[in-house]
Amino acid sequence: MKNSAKNKIYYSLYAFISSFALTRGIFLLYLAYRGLSASEIAVYSIMLNAMTALCEVPTGILGDKIGTRNSVMSGCILLALHAVIMANTRNHIILIVMGGMEGIAYTFVSGSDSALLYEILEERDEQKDYLSINSKLLALQSVTMGIMIFAGGVLARYSWELVYYIQASAMFTAMLMLSKITNQRKADSARKADPIRKADAAGNEGYRQKSADRWKSFIKYNPRIVFVIFVLGFSICDGVFCGYYNMNQLVFSKVGISIAVIGTFFSASYFINSAAYILVDFILRKINRKQIFIYGLLVQSVILFILVFVTDKGVFLVISIIACFIPEIIFAVADSIVQDYIISEYRATMLSIVSMVRTGVTAICYGGMGVMFDRVPVRAFLLGINLLVIGSAVISWGFYFRMKKLLSRM
């Protein structure tokens, strides 16, 4: 158990150091500094998102085979290498290809990092504390990112390359922290205890299952269709909220808010949202995760409805901050529910699938919002988003009794 306690410390250090995202707020500006045109920068973004979507599930499956720790370490190494190459090349083609490398690197980390934390807690029989601990780490990461994004902008005035070298050093150090984490015995035990694996090892064809049945066995909760609907519903909500968050830049501009204030809003959002993760732990003492998820959607629909009628710019900004705050609570709760109902052996794979679904839905929602934004007044746009959230809240209530068994085990 002593090693398990150290694992938590090393993971926390990884979470902190990997949040040194100095380039997060300036990487598009850096590409322009290197001479890339707007269309070339767009291709970089396309490469980033395309490789993320294509590699999400394959790297998740690989993560289950090589171990979640090794998967995250691979992602850190690729991110460090990405930063070094970005700082040392002016070749436009290489820079664009780096967008693909960055996307692949994130897929090694996505899903596997939270799976690793869950496995560490599982080894100590503390998986029930996952939501509380993960929320605190998310808060730490959010604050750290906010500081580092600001620092990256300041340092870039003196040396763009220095920003990327510091980024590379941070990723390498994060990888070293991960290397100190020992293998999770519970995860290994789950692999050995898996009935499908035993049957296959014994060569008993009677116990072999078809591919579809094997995928079903990755999920603990039964009926599995309820779990699938929950994941899909959560993904739709996440897609709507992420799309809304990004579209806020255009929304603020249309209501007459200055660019300086818009920049301050997004920088401050990292610090403000960190409070959301801390607040989750407090709210859990009053109500359970089921209530947090459903009530969160209802509160969000009310907030977005109020935005439709607000005319004062200051009030509009304050309410917008709240509208970006609530989804962070919903995300943390939904993530913990998903973690609790997937098999340890396939945790990275399943989380990668969930991440892929969320990314795909976000892309669809973001595209739809872009089309909608160009065709309707900003107030009608906000009302449309509000109707989507209300619909999600109603559906959540509709499935309340079906999901009761799933969510009442918290």
Side-chain angles (χ1 to χ4, degrees):
M1 297 301 286
K2 185 177 180 180
N3 286 337
S4 299
K6 288 183 178 179
N7 285 345
K8 288 175 64 176
I9 294 173
Y10 286 128
Y11 183 90
S12 299
L13 288 172
Y14 151 76
F16 171 64
I17 297 170
S18 65
S19 300
F20 285 27
L22 284 83
T23 63
R24 180 68 61 85
I26 60 171
F27 74 96
L28 294 181
L29 298 175
Y30 177 74
L31 293 173
Y33 164 76
R34 284 303 196 196
L36 272 68
S37 65
S39 59
E40 288 175 322
I41 292 174
V43 174
Y44 178 98
S45 298
I46 291 171
M47 286 286 291
L48 171 62
N49 289 288
M51 294 309 294
T52 299
L54 289 172
C55 297
E56 190 72 70
V57 174
T59 53
I61 294 173
L62 180 61
D64 281 325
K65 292 185 179 298
I66 66 176
T68 52
R69 183 200 66 168
N70 293 334
S71 178
V72 182
M73 287 176 64
S74 299
C76 289
I77 292 172
L78 285 176
L79 287 172
L81 182 60
H82 167 269
V84 171
I85 295 175
M86 290 286 286
N88 286 279
T89 185
R90 295 179 180 273
N91 186 290
H92 290 196
I93 295 177
I94 294 177
L95 286 169
I96 290 173
V97 170
M98 286 301 98
M101 175 185 280
E102 186 179 10
I104 294 172
Y106 284 135
T107 63
F108 274 102
V109 177
S110 174
S112 291
D113 56 352
S114 57
L116 176 59
L117 173 60
Y118 196 92
E119 289 174 4
I120 290 171
L121 297 176
E122 215 175 18
E123 187 179 18
R124 295 169 58 86
D125 292 320
E126 295 176 353
Q127 57 266 38
K128 64 182 183 300
D129 298 325
Y130 170 80
L131 177 56
S132 176
I133 294 173
N134 190 47
S135 295
K136 291 182 175 67
L137 290 176
L138 287 173
L140 173 65
Q141 288 179 307
S142 186
V143 171
T144 305
M145 281 187 182
I147 294 172
M148 291 301 161
I149 287 173
F150 174 78
V154 173
L155 289 174
R157 297 177 183 177
Y158 303 97
S159 172
W160 285 96
E161 290 78 12
L162 177 62
V163 175
Y164 276 92
Y165 282 129
I166 294 175
Q167 179 84 65
S169 299
M171 291 301 103
F172 182 76
T173 304
M175 184 274 294
L176 290 179
M177 294 300 102
L178 289 168
S179 69
K180 301 289 186 180
I181 297 176
T182 57
N183 292 330
Q184 283 65 62
R185 290 191 299 273
K186 273 192 176 293
D188 293 337
S189 298
R191 290 182 176 88
K192 294 175 182 177
D194 178 57
I196 297 174
R197 180 176 292 272
K198 282 184 175 181
D200 286 346
N204 189 340
E205 295 295 333
Y207 286 95
R208 291 184 183 275
Q209 298 180 353
K210 295 181 179 179
S211 179
D213 292 330
R214 289 179 66 88
W215 280 103
K216 288 180 182 179
S217 71
F218 297 176
I219 302 170
K220 293 180 183 178
Y221 180 72
N222 192 21
R224 296 173 183 85
I225 186 61
V226 175
F227 180 84
V228 171
I229 290 173
F230 173 79
V231 170
L232 183 59
F234 159 53
S235 298
I236 292 173
C237 293
D238 191 55
V240 171
F241 296 145
C242 286
Y244 165 74
Y245 180 82
N246 292 327
M247 291 296 291
N248 259 326
Q249 297 178 47
L250 301 178
V251 171
F252 291 160
S253 179
K254 272 203 173 183
V255 298
I257 296 173
S258 68
I259 294 176
V261 174
I262 293 174
T264 302
F265 173 90
F266 282 95
S267 177
S269 68
Y270 280 91
F271 297 95
I272 296 170
N273 288 344
S274 67
Y277 305 126
I278 298 298
L279 188 60
V280 168
D281 198 30
F282 172 78
I283 297 175
L284 274 174
R285 301 173 190 171
K286 309 295 181 181
I287 57 179
N288 59 37
R289 292 187 293 184
K290 165 200 64 183
Q291 294 167 315
I292 293 176
F293 184 81
I294 297 176
Y295 293 160
L297 288 177
L298 292 173
V299 170
Q300 183 72 350
S301 64
V302 172
I303 292 170
L304 290 173
F305 185 72
I306 293 173
L307 268 180
V308 176
F309 303 99
V310 172
T311 56
D312 183 86
K313 295 177 184 178
V315 177
F316 192 92
L317 276 172
V318 171
I319 296 178
S320 295
I321 288 175
I322 300 174
C324 294
F325 179 87
I326 300 297
E328 298 300 325
I329 296 176
I330 295 174
F331 166 78
V333 170
D335 173 66
S336 70
I337 293 172
V338 172
Q339 289 279 4
D340 279 348
Y341 287 93
I342 52 181
I343 301 297
S344 293
E345 180 180 2
Y346 308 108
R347 190 173 302 281
T349 300
M350 291 301 296
L351 291 177
S352 291
I353 292 173
V354 171
S355 179
M356 182 184 69
V357 172
R358 287 175 53 208
T359 301
V361 172
T362 299
I364 294 171
C365 291
Y366 194 35
M369 288 180 186
V371 172
M372 181 180 172
F373 191 83
D374 287 335
R375 287 167 171 73
V376 300
V378 66
R379 304 293 174 180
F381 171 78
L382 291 172
L383 181 60
I385 295 177
N386 177 254
L387 292 175
L388 288 174
V389 177
I390 291 175
S392 298
V394 170
I395 291 172
S396 295
W397 278 108
F399 278 96
Y400 170 77
F401 293 104
R402 198 75 178 103
M403 295 171 65
K404 187 174 182 180
K405 183 179 179 181
L406 167 66
L407 299 174
S408 63
R409 295 177 182 175
M410 321 306 175

PDB file of all heavy atoms in Angstrom, residues 348-365:
ATOM      1  N   ALA A 348      -9.139   1.934 -20.964  1.00  0.00           N
ATOM      2  CA  ALA A 348      -8.596   2.904 -21.920  1.00  0.00           C
ATOM      3  C   ALA A 348      -9.351   2.847 -23.243  1.00  0.00           C
ATOM      4  O   ALA A 348      -9.638   3.877 -23.860  1.00  0.00           O
ATOM      5  CB  ALA A 348      -7.106   2.650 -22.142  1.00  0.00           C
ATOM      6  N   THR A 349      -9.687   1.640 -23.676  1.00  0.00           N
ATOM      7  CA  THR A 349     -10.432   1.485 -24.933  1.00  0.00           C
ATOM      8  C   THR A 349     -11.801   2.144 -24.837  1.00  0.00           C
ATOM      9  O   THR A 349     -12.200   2.911 -25.722  1.00  0.00           O
ATOM     10  CB  THR A 349     -10.617  -0.006 -25.274  1.00  0.00           C
ATOM     11  OG1 THR A 349      -9.337  -0.615 -25.422  1.00  0.00           O
ATOM     12  CG2 THR A 349     -11.400  -0.176 -26.567  1.00  0.00           C
ATOM     13  N   MET A 350     -12.529   1.837 -23.778  1.00  0.00           N
ATOM     14  CA  MET A 350     -13.874   2.380 -23.625  1.00  0.00           C
ATOM     15  C   MET A 350     -13.858   3.895 -23.483  1.00  0.00           C
ATOM     16  O   MET A 350     -14.686   4.597 -24.069  1.00  0.00           O
ATOM     17  CB  MET A 350     -14.561   1.746 -22.410  1.00  0.00           C
ATOM     18  CG  MET A 350     -14.900   0.270 -22.595  1.00  0.00           C
ATOM     19  SD  MET A 350     -16.004  -0.023 -24.007  1.00  0.00           S
ATOM     20  CE  MET A 350     -17.479   0.837 -23.467  1.00  0.00           C
ATOM     21  N   LEU A 351     -12.900   4.422 -22.720  1.00  0.00           N
ATOM     22  CA  LEU A 351     -12.818   5.867 -22.557  1.00  0.00           C
ATOM     23  C   LEU A 351     -12.435   6.545 -23.867  1.00  0.00           C
ATOM     24  O   LEU A 351     -12.862   7.670 -24.145  1.00  0.00           O
ATOM     25  CB  LEU A 351     -11.815   6.221 -21.453  1.00  0.00           C
ATOM     26  CG  LEU A 351     -12.241   5.844 -20.031  1.00  0.00           C
ATOM     27  CD1 LEU A 351     -11.140   6.180 -19.037  1.00  0.00           C
ATOM     28  CD2 LEU A 351     -13.532   6.550 -19.647  1.00  0.00           C
ATOM     29  N   SER A 352     -11.641   5.867 -24.677  1.00  0.00           N
ATOM     30  CA  SER A 352     -11.292   6.413 -25.991  1.00  0.00           C
ATOM     31  C   SER A 352     -12.513   6.448 -26.897  1.00  0.00           C
ATOM     32  O   SER A 352     -12.706   7.390 -27.667  1.00  0.00           O
ATOM     33  CB  SER A 352     -10.181   5.575 -26.638  1.00  0.00           C
ATOM     34  OG  SER A 352      -8.958   5.734 -25.961  1.00  0.00           O
ATOM     35  N   ILE A 353     -13.341   5.406 -26.810  1.00  0.00           N
ATOM     36  CA  ILE A 353     -14.577   5.385 -27.603  1.00  0.00           C
ATOM     37  C   ILE A 353     -15.499   6.516 -27.169  1.00  0.00           C
ATOM     38  O   ILE A 353     -16.076   7.233 -27.995  1.00  0.00           O
ATOM     39  CB  ILE A 353     -15.286   4.018 -27.460  1.00  0.00           C
ATOM     40  CG1 ILE A 353     -14.448   2.923 -28.133  1.00  0.00           C
ATOM     41  CG2 ILE A 353     -16.685   4.072 -28.077  1.00  0.00           C
ATOM     42  CD1 ILE A 353     -14.982   1.529 -27.899  1.00  0.00           C
ATOM     43  N   VAL A 354     -15.624   6.688 -25.851  1.00  0.00           N
ATOM     44  CA  VAL A 354     -16.451   7.780 -25.329  1.00  0.00           C
ATOM     45  C   VAL A 354     -15.907   9.121 -25.804  1.00  0.00           C
ATOM     46  O   VAL A 354     -16.662  10.009 -26.234  1.00  0.00           O
ATOM     47  CB  VAL A 354     -16.499   7.734 -23.785  1.00  0.00           C
ATOM     48  CG1 VAL A 354     -17.175   8.985 -23.229  1.00  0.00           C
ATOM     49  CG2 VAL A 354     -17.240   6.492 -23.308  1.00  0.00           C
ATOM     50  N   SER A 355     -14.584   9.271 -25.746  1.00  0.00           N
ATOM     51  CA  SER A 355     -13.951  10.514 -26.186  1.00  0.00           C
ATOM     52  C   SER A 355     -14.181  10.748 -27.677  1.00  0.00           C
ATOM     53  O   SER A 355     -14.435  11.886 -28.110  1.00  0.00           O
ATOM     54  CB  SER A 355     -12.446  10.467 -25.889  1.00  0.00           C
ATOM     55  OG  SER A 355     -11.806  11.645 -26.313  1.00  0.00           O
ATOM     56  N   MET A 356     -14.118   9.670 -28.466  1.00  0.00           N
ATOM     57  CA  MET A 356     -14.341   9.800 -29.907  1.00  0.00           C
ATOM     58  C   MET A 356     -15.782  10.240 -30.188  1.00  0.00           C
ATOM     59  O   MET A 356     -16.020  11.101 -31.044  1.00  0.00           O
ATOM     60  CB  MET A 356     -14.071   8.472 -30.598  1.00  0.00           C
ATOM     61  CG  MET A 356     -14.236   8.523 -32.119  1.00  0.00           C
ATOM     62  SD  MET A 356     -14.022   6.916 -32.909  1.00  0.00           S
ATOM     63  CE  MET A 356     -15.496   6.067 -32.309  1.00  0.00           C
ATOM     64  N   VAL A 357     -16.735   9.643 -29.460  1.00  0.00           N
ATOM     65  CA  VAL A 357     -18.136  10.016 -29.632  1.00  0.00           C
ATOM     66  C   VAL A 357     -18.333  11.484 -29.268  1.00  0.00           C
ATOM     67  O   VAL A 357     -18.992  12.245 -29.996  1.00  0.00           O
ATOM     68  CB  VAL A 357     -19.052   9.124 -28.768  1.00  0.00           C
ATOM     69  CG1 VAL A 357     -20.487   9.647 -28.789  1.00  0.00           C
ATOM     70  CG2 VAL A 357     -19.003   7.687 -29.262  1.00  0.00           C
ATOM     71  N   ARG A 358     -17.746  11.894 -28.155  1.00  0.00           N
ATOM     72  CA  ARG A 358     -17.866  13.286 -27.721  1.00  0.00           C
ATOM     73  C   ARG A 358     -17.256  14.232 -28.749  1.00  0.00           C
ATOM     74  O   ARG A 358     -17.831  15.277 -29.064  1.00  0.00           O
ATOM     75  CB  ARG A 358     -17.184  13.477 -26.369  1.00  0.00           C
ATOM     76  CG  ARG A 358     -17.938  12.876 -25.193  1.00  0.00           C
ATOM     77  CD  ARG A 358     -17.131  12.995 -23.921  1.00  0.00           C
ATOM     78  NE  ARG A 358     -16.714  14.358 -23.678  1.00  0.00           N
ATOM     79  CZ  ARG A 358     -15.628  14.687 -23.006  1.00  0.00           C
ATOM     80  NH1 ARG A 358     -14.823  13.753 -22.538  1.00  0.00           N
ATOM     81  NH2 ARG A 358     -15.323  15.957 -22.809  1.00  0.00           N
ATOM     82  N   THR A 359     -16.080  13.874 -29.274  1.00  0.00           N
ATOM     83  CA  THR A 359     -15.415  14.722 -30.270  1.00  0.00           C
ATOM     84  C   THR A 359     -16.258  14.841 -31.528  1.00  0.00           C
ATOM     85  O   THR A 359     -16.422  15.937 -32.083  1.00  0.00           O
ATOM     86  CB  THR A 359     -14.032  14.147 -30.634  1.00  0.00           C
ATOM     87  OG1 THR A 359     -13.223  14.066 -29.451  1.00  0.00           O
ATOM     88  CG2 THR A 359     -13.322  15.027 -31.653  1.00  0.00           C
ATOM     89  N   GLY A 360     -16.802  13.695 -31.972  1.00  0.00           N
ATOM     90  CA  GLY A 360     -17.634  13.709 -33.171  1.00  0.00           C
ATOM     91  C   GLY A 360     -18.891  14.538 -32.992  1.00  0.00           C
ATOM     92  O   GLY A 360     -19.260  15.336 -33.861  1.00  0.00           O
ATOM     93  N   VAL A 361     -19.555  14.361 -31.855  1.00  0.00           N
ATOM     94  CA  VAL A 361     -20.778  15.119 -31.580  1.00  0.00           C
ATOM     95  C   VAL A 361     -20.462  16.610 -31.450  1.00  0.00           C
ATOM     96  O   VAL A 361     -21.218  17.463 -31.938  1.00  0.00           O
ATOM     97  CB  VAL A 361     -21.460  14.600 -30.296  1.00  0.00           C
ATOM     98  CG1 VAL A 361     -22.621  15.513 -29.898  1.00  0.00           C
ATOM     99  CG2 VAL A 361     -21.972  13.180 -30.496  1.00  0.00           C
ATOM    100  N   THR A 362     -19.326  16.924 -30.814  1.00  0.00           N
ATOM    101  CA  THR A 362     -18.920  18.325 -30.672  1.00  0.00           C
ATOM    102  C   THR A 362     -18.703  18.963 -32.040  1.00  0.00           C
ATOM    103  O   THR A 362     -19.119  20.108 -32.281  1.00  0.00           O
ATOM    104  CB  THR A 362     -17.625  18.438 -29.838  1.00  0.00           C
ATOM    105  OG1 THR A 362     -17.859  17.919 -28.528  1.00  0.00           O
ATOM    106  CG2 THR A 362     -17.183  19.889 -29.716  1.00  0.00           C
ATOM    107  N   ALA A 363     -18.048  18.222 -32.934  1.00  0.00           N
ATOM    108  CA  ALA A 363     -17.802  18.740 -34.284  1.00  0.00           C
ATOM    109  C   ALA A 363     -19.122  19.024 -35.004  1.00  0.00           C
ATOM    110  O   ALA A 363     -19.282  20.059 -35.658  1.00  0.00           O
ATOM    111  CB  ALA A 363     -16.964  17.754 -35.082  1.00  0.00           C
ATOM    112  N   ILE A 364     -20.079  18.099 -34.854  1.00  0.00           N
ATOM    113  CA  ILE A 364     -21.388  18.277 -35.500  1.00  0.00           C
ATOM    114  C   ILE A 364     -22.118  19.482 -34.909  1.00  0.00           C
ATOM    115  O   ILE A 364     -22.668  20.323 -35.640  1.00  0.00           O
ATOM    116  CB  ILE A 364     -22.247  17.007 -35.345  1.00  0.00           C
ATOM    117  CG1 ILE A 364     -21.613  15.844 -36.120  1.00  0.00           C
ATOM    118  CG2 ILE A 364     -23.671  17.248 -35.817  1.00  0.00           C
ATOM    119  CD1 ILE A 364     -22.258  14.506 -35.858  1.00  0.00           C
ATOM    120  N   CYS A 365     -22.113  19.562 -33.566  1.00  0.00           N
ATOM    121  CA  CYS A 365     -22.790  20.675 -32.894  1.00  0.00           C
ATOM    122  C   CYS A 365     -22.144  22.003 -33.249  1.00  0.00           C
ATOM    123  O   CYS A 365     -22.825  22.999 -33.518  1.00  0.00           O
ATOM    124  CB  CYS A 365     -22.770  20.472 -31.378  1.00  0.00           C
ATOM    125  SG  CYS A 365     -23.784  19.118 -30.783  1.00  0.00           S
TER     126      CYS A 365
END
